[in-house]
Amino acid sequence: MGQGRIIKVAGPLVVAENLGDAKMFDLVKVGKEGLMGEIIEMRGVRASIQVYEETERLGPGDPVVPTGAPLSVELGPGMLGAVYDGVQRPLDAIEAIAGAFLARGIDAPGLSRDKVWEFTATVSAGDSVSGGDVVGVVQENEVIEHRIMVPPALSGTISTISSGSYTVEQPVGRLRTADGTEHDLIMMQRWPVRIPRPYIRKVAASEPLVTGTRVIDTFFPLVKGGAGCIPGPFGAGKTVTQHQVAKWSNAQIVIFIGCGERGNEMTDVLMEFPELTDPYSGYPLMKRTVLVANTSNMPVAAREASVYTGITMAEYFRDMGYEVVLQADSTSRWAEAMREISGRLEEMPGEEGYPAYLGTRLAAFYERAGKVDCLGGESAPRNGSVSVVGSVSPPGGDLSEPVVQNTLRVVKVFWALQDTLAYQRHFPAIDWLTSYSLFLDKVEPYWFENVDEHFRARRDQAMAILQRESELAEIVRLVGLEALSDEEQILMETAKSLREDFLQQNAFREDDQFSSLAEQNKLLEVILHFHTTAIALAEKGEPLKSIFSAPVREQITRAKYLSAEDIGEYDRILSDIDTQLVAGGPAVAAAAEVNA
Amino acid sequence: MTREYMTTRDIVGPLLLVENVTGVTYGELVELEFPDGTQSFGNVLEVNGDVALVQAFQGTRGSNPSQTKVRFLGRGLELGVSRDMLGRVFDGMGRPRDGGPEIMPEKRVPIYGQAINPMSRDFPDDFIQTGISSIDGLNPLVRGQKLPIFSGSGLPHNELAAQIARQAAVLERSDDPTRVGPPMEGDFAVVFAAMGITFEDADFFMTELRSTSAIERAVLFLNLADDPAVERIATPRMALTAAEYLAFECDMHVLVIYTDMTYYCEALREVSAARKEVPGRRGFPGYLYTDLASLYERAGRIKGKKGSITQVPILSMPDDDKTHPIPDLTGYITEGQIILDRNLHRSGIYPPVAVLPSLSRLKQKGIGAGKTREDHADLSNQLFGAYARGIQAKELAVILGEAALSDTDQAYVHFADSFERLFIQQGKHEDRSVEETLALGWELVALLPRTELKRIKDEYIDRYLPTKPHEYHPGEADTNMTPGIPAGRDGMHNEILGV
Ligand SMILES: Nc1ncnc2c1ncn2[C@@H]1O[C@H](COP(=O)(O)OP(=O)(O)OP(=O)(O)O)[C@@H](O)[C@H]1O
Ligand SMILES: [Mg+2]
């Protein structure tokens, strides 16, 4: 390859000329330190390059060397538990070389070249295989079996293959294609990040991604393979919610992209995840997690790349047949990175300075979510899925801005965070009136089979109560609670109970952070049972005061802290409601005592 | 390596376009000499072929195209650092401003710094006792955090920041979950950076620091209102470079206070406008977020290093508007914010901390058994919840009259008033220990029926709720609690504690 020269440096953007036959989106090495960059525009002999590292002290005349390959990630054993920057440099390797501060020009491969893995072949010589077929497995850690697949574009007959110990680059066998050429089979694949990995077809997703967060699972569920967004002003709880999903959801693999956010949040994950036990596998959460950490003070071009790096890894695990959940925090910082680069390219800006292609890029990203019939596996068909949750950080919390609006066009779940709720420390501050999930009908059969035939009805009833509360609240504000009928006053109390005893969930309390679907259903049943019983009783003329002072209400408040083993406790509360809420029953007696 | 040119073509605002240059690099430090003899530093914002775009930190007044000497110095903008910086005052470019001698630097460090590898960070979890209840009790600061003060003109943010600087102490870990450890001796330093504030404001800080002889452990970088505006882009970076040296090479716990971020951002906007960049909201450049992050993210702790950098930036919100891009983007980067409120200030409450929209995101890691006390988190959640409820009830009372409120709501109204006057309110020189703050909190929640204390674990209620609850009964003549009680808060504290 030839060598070009820099002619212009403006922040993260470098213009070079005479790069030979380099192509759009090829990687280049910039300057004497060989900083990584990507060609993003070509005019005549000039190429504009976004550089993934700081460009301080680069100048005209410095060399630029094309690599002839696009920006790609390395896929193979060794990704789980790793922490990468936006272009898949392992941050631990960089730390080992450069210390606590990120020096530039350090290159370290995404997958360790020294580490030896135990490979067990699952096909034999003479078998014919095609792209995506699993040819063997590596038990990457206690939890995840890493399935080694034939690269998507390859097919033919296995000529040799043998189990044994290999590094990711050593051939585990050979494959002969139809035209007779022999290919080494190695455990590592490379894939260009901007191109979605292929699959046979997308299939409809209907199994909920259970997150353990009640407001999400019961009211606004996401499915495995679905895409959702979580917009909200600063401090409203985007990151905490995403961490909750990363921690407790029933996905098999979690990819977390810290895209232009805080360093300490990454540290938090790094320190916490190895200590936390995955409720499904019983092993530390870090074993199923890959982190992409391109924090706000790391180079902006690498931030732009980070979401692609993350989603490509997610697709790779999906192709193995796993259920993957990917979190991008925050997609707004990604959009801003695009805007900054676009500005330096002097492109015509669209809305609010964002490039005109903002919407297309966002849509293309979220389209990479989905449940699929995986490539290969003709003999053993398999499904895999990528669910995507992107946070959005709208300026001033204004949801009409372009990133939110373009995102809402493509995602089916909208968890709207409200700062007013956060100020009241109502967490998660997900606004139950404006949020939505278009997957409700999809998950209903699953709920029916696996949770409770009445769960959907309960959910809808609770939602209706909350909706009605917001209408009645207006009246109360103007004329006071007394203006409401008994039934309406009971409804107001039930709504409050729904908010405080069901929707509110403290992510930092061990006895509250996770609720199974079964517990969510029971808790809802309890709250609604009190509601119906109270209304019936009030109709019989029982004073509200005595109904509301039933001691069982205290139990309802604390029900969310019950542990999974105590699920029987809910039935006790249900029967306590029945025994206490009878005309002239213990509640009334108790209340009479208090009033005396 | 130095090359000198007199080939300036255009001068636009703080920018110079210099032609026919060779070997110039992006970010290179430039020395400018104007025909009248004045000098300015600058750096290269863009280089295109043989044309360099230079931003002049001290402005371009007195320059002209043909006679301005432009020297490219072959290095970036640096600060010479040494322990001797302690006790000294520098200008916004790091030159002595106190008449003292030049620093003999141990080394020269580029002021733009390098990002901390997220792998190398240690999570901030050491509680800092500021002695201020509205912070320690509800929105605690921890070592290595970045916690800005969102304020407005005329509000006492300087007093608050100075009080934090004077009183900040770290507590020893305690083995007993029910006890708070004693304050710990430590090697601390204060780095103060002024961007565009008045002489009076800067002088106030110096006097305050002097009053506790903290000045000997302080390094000050002052760019005042009448100093060149563009220099303000360099000032906080000078300060942070000094802070990094003191923290990570001299093992000190450094508190960085910088004020006013609004002037800093305006300087960035000025340069951006002169470059004719596509403006973002309110004319600020689209990269404001990234730029601010390059400052705020320099807070933190590093594994294996003793020192730490804690940042308390101050910004005055234009028009008290939290959605203005400067507070907005700051809030998106920092680990919470302390918001000052004009209404509280008007009603005579100092510090006028609006506790509900204020937030410390590192709170859960910094408090609790061992660090402060086991009940701290639950109690603070309860105080938040009760205060929020009290405020709502007060709003209702305004429309419907207090009599229309339920007994419980009346108790909440009473709670909210007492909370503001006893908990939030304190003296400018009053240093409350965290035990005192927690005790005060418990006295206040005792104003509510016990069944309302849903956010506190039963065992804590049993252990800490004062036995003689000062329970409030609607309509009860309650002289201790009437609003508008003047100073002498300690007396009131005793009254509510019943001593
Ligand atoms: N479910 C929850 N339980 C308890 N506290 C919560 C919860 N969600 C959020 N919080 C509180 O709100 C704070 C802010 O949350 P978070 O950091 O997730 O906000 P964010 O929306 O990501 O803000 P930013 O846009 O600035 O990153 C947390 O530090 C925590 O104190
Ligand atoms: Mg966040």
Side-chain angles (χ1 to χ4, degrees), chain A residues 234-240 261-262 427 505-508, chain B residues 331-332 361:
Chain A
F234 64 79
K238 298 180 289 297
T239 305
V240 173
E261 290 288 314
R262 302 172 182 82
F427 289 122
Q505 190 171 3
N506 189 336
F508 305 108
Chain B
Y332 272 123
R361 296 171 197 238

Side-chain angles (χ1 to χ4, degrees), chain A residues 7 57-58 260 268 394 423 425, chain B residues 26 49 289 322 332 356 365:
Chain A
I7 52 173
R57 313 308 320 284
L58 291 178
D268 193 17
Y423 295 165
R425 302 314 192 249
Chain B
Y26 174 69
Y289 174 86
K322 195 162 66 80
Y332 272 123
L356 297 180
K365 309 278 166 159

